[in-house]
Amino acid sequence: MSRITFIPSAPGRWPEIAPEQWQDWTWQLKNRVSSLADLEKHLKLAPEERAGALLTGSKLATAITPHYFNLIDAEDPGCPIRRQVVPRLEESSYAPEEMSDPCGEDGAMPVPGLVHRYPDRVLFLVTDRCASYCRYCTRSRVVSGVGEQDLETDFEEAYRYLEAHEEVRDVLLSGGDPLLFSDRKLEGILRRLRSIPHIEFIRIGSRVPIFLPQRITPEFCAMIRKYHPVWMSIHCNHPRELTLEVKEALGRLADAGIPLGNQAVLLRGVNNHPDVLKELFHKLLMCRVRPYYLYQCDLIQGSAHLRTTIQEGLEIMDKLRGHTTGYAIPQYVVDGPGGGGKIPLNPDYIVARTGDRLVLRNYRGDIYEYPEASPQGVEGLGIKES
Ligand SMILES: *Cc1c(COP(=O)(O)O)cnc(C)c1O
Ligand code: SF4
């Protein structure tokens, strides 16, 4: 018997709200928990959280949809949902190795809002707003609109750049969260991108299915499917985030033919345990979502209390790889600090290289030798030397 369960979030702390209203994503956005008074109405705050709530406004706003807020444990400041969205005093201490732009994105923008780091693909930052704000957000310098830096995306210049750059075949829409746009506005972007013949692949990076599953309406799904292939990368960090409502929203996306991947962030006190991640990845498979990346938390300012070491991440990956379905295993990656792009991190399965032999270990630690025979000719593949 499966122990995987999907628990509804509604109505929770909003028993008086009619189901139609709860289902309305604009109601969810208007009623986000965002002030100290809102937080204290429902949660017993730790002193570090009270101080954290008073700090914000300076860097990253606080906002939590009622849907997501219902998943928070009222008594426990260590609650893994709570640690992701309730600010803490620790956010105000910056370690020397931390940066405001840890992935060096600002230096890789040929056009404001368009990050072109890799040869064939771009990251298109279309908005600075999200449904809720993650305290470890790598883009907190521009996200939420309260920091000193603004996201100044120039859409027309970005489209002209993409038209002129035929090597770009893959566009990743992100922000902020593109799903905060109306269907009409998002459709305008998709239509414009689809008018550029060399753009083959469009992806949307969004945490809305987790924070605001009500946004995934049948109308939205019907709009997206006109622009296929459109893939979506969601962002889910803990199995409790996969509520019944979220599972249904993900089902609507999958039914609309949108291949779904998940990008999780490894976070201290949230998901830095193999059992938690295994349950998360198994639940994602049940929702037809393929775990894609597990990110080492970026060196964003004020995130030390949420970061683990890479060594710990490698040990966790070692306890997953081979111990469960291959589809349940994401690639563990770190963004090279300052702008190196994604770098894969893998536990070491090659134990030694001796002459023409590789010494390998499997997931149980058993040793195997692989003879590296010299390769035969390549004529059979029809490859000509130039
Ligand atoms: C992550 C990222 C991409 C997409 O990378 P994939 O490995 O293809 O998912 C593209 N551009 C930038 C700047 C990125 O950070
Ligand atoms: S949803 Fe993404 S962009 Fe928005 S705050 Fe969270 S990590 Fe940052």
Side-chain angles (χ1 to χ4, degrees):
M1 204 183 73
S2 173
R3 62 185 180 85
I4 290 183
T5 50
F6 294 90
I7 295 164
S9 129
R13 299 180 172 113
W14 283 263
E16 75 286 6
I17 296 303
E20 310 83 74
Q21 221 166 5
W22 182 266
Q23 278 311 317
D24 176 353
W25 64 279
T26 61
W27 180 89
Q28 290 277 335
L29 287 178
K30 276 189 222 116
N31 289 277
R32 286 181 292 184
V33 171
S34 54
S35 66
L36 175 59
D38 287 350
L39 288 168
E40 289 206 303
K41 209 188 302 173
H42 300 284
L43 309 181
K44 201 162 138 245
L45 294 185
E48 295 81 3
E49 292 174 315
R50 286 199 94 248
L54 291 169
L55 280 174
T56 56
S58 56
K59 187 181 159 222
L60 179 72
T62 298
I64 311 168
T65 56
H67 164 84
Y68 196 75
F69 191 79
N70 269 344
L71 310 181
I72 293 176
D73 185 314
E75 305 291 325
D76 177 16
C79 161
I81 305 298
R82 188 156 159 174
R83 282 178 66 78
Q84 294 183 65
V85 290
V86 173
R88 292 185 64 90
L89 180 63
E90 292 91 316
E91 288 174 21
S92 63
S93 31
Y94 296 177
E97 66 276 16
E98 293 177 343
M99 294 167 258
S100 68
D101 179 14
C103 303
E105 292 176 337
D106 289 341
M109 287 190 199
V111 171
L114 195 68
V115 186
H116 192 181
R117 176 182 327 283
Y118 300 106
D120 68 336
R121 56 204 191 280
V122 294
L123 173 67
F124 191 6
L125 305 178
V126 297
T127 175
D128 60 2
R129 297 307 147 102
C130 300
S132 304
Y133 293 107
C134 312
R135 306 322 302 170
Y136 52 86
C137 179
T138 194
R139 239 165 258 139
S140 54
R141 72 189 183 283
V142 287
V143 158
S144 89
V146 299
E148 55 236 45
Q149 200 178 326
D150 282 328
L151 181 69
E152 284 163 333
T153 302
D154 186 330
F155 285 84
E156 279 315 310
E157 213 193 313
Y159 295 135
R160 279 198 297 276
Y161 179 90
L162 292 172
E163 277 164 346
H165 286 260
E166 294 190 15
E167 73 277 18
V168 177
R169 42 160 288 285
D170 171 355
V171 176
L172 165 53
L173 299 178
S174 182
D177 200 313
L179 265 57
L180 281 206
F181 282 162
S182 65
D183 288 0
R184 226 173 88 187
K185 185 147 185 189
L186 200 53
E187 178 159 19
I189 296 172
L190 292 173
R191 194 187 300 120
R192 189 72 175 77
L193 292 174
R194 278 286 172 236
S195 76
I196 304 174
H198 54 268
I199 295 177
E200 301 164 357
F201 187 62
I202 299 178
R203 274 185 280 185
I204 303 174
S206 176
R207 214 180 173 189
V208 152
I210 302 302
F211 283 147
L212 186 62
Q214 296 80 7
R215 170 72 185 89
I216 311 300
T217 61
E219 296 73 30
F220 169 79
C221 296
M223 182 278 282
I224 293 287
R225 63 185 307 161
K226 290 190 271 175
Y227 300 92
H228 270 326
V230 178
W231 291 46
M232 196 178 284
S233 292
I234 67 161
H235 172 179
C236 182
N237 294 328
H238 193 278
R240 247 163 59 198
E241 297 176 337
L242 293 167
T243 69
L244 193 60
E245 297 88 345
V246 169
K247 182 173 190 276
E248 288 170 356
L250 294 169
R252 290 193 287 279
L253 292 169
D255 285 347
I258 304 167
L260 300 170
N262 184 60
Q263 312 199 106
V265 182
L266 183 63
L267 296 167
R268 176 140 66 102
V270 174
N271 59 12
N272 59 331
H273 193 287
D275 292 345
V276 174
L277 284 179
K278 199 192 262 192
E279 188 186 347
L280 169 65
F281 299 150
H282 288 178
K283 271 183 111 167
L284 285 165
L285 292 188
M286 301 294 283
C287 296
R288 291 183 276 170
V289 181
R290 164 80 155 105
Y292 178 44
Y293 284 139
L294 174 67
Y295 284 97
Q296 174 66 14
C297 184
D298 289 322
L299 294 166
I300 184 72
Q301 286 169 336
S303 66
H305 61 296
L306 287 167
R307 291 202 310 272
T308 65
T309 59
I310 287 183
Q311 185 54 39
E312 183 178 358
L314 288 170
E315 285 164 18
I316 291 172
M317 288 304 293
D318 200 33
K319 293 199 169 95
L320 296 176
R321 164 64 65 199
H323 295 270
T324 186
T325 313
Y327 276 128
I329 311 290
Q331 171 97 260
Y332 178 37
V333 292
V334 62
D335 252 283
K342 293 176 191 64
I343 301 171
L345 299 163
N346 285 312
D348 215 351
Y349 298 102
I350 301 176
V351 183
R353 292 166 207 263
T354 55
D356 56 2
R357 283 179 182 264
L358 287 189
V359 181
L360 309 173
R361 71 161 174 96
N362 74 358
Y363 71 102
R364 273 193 258 111
D366 305 332
I367 297 296
Y368 294 84
E369 272 194 36
Y370 187 88
E372 292 271 73
S374 57
Q376 302 299 309
V378 292
E379 299 95 300
L381 296 176
I383 296 168
K384 291 207 178 66
E385 306 220 358
S386 56

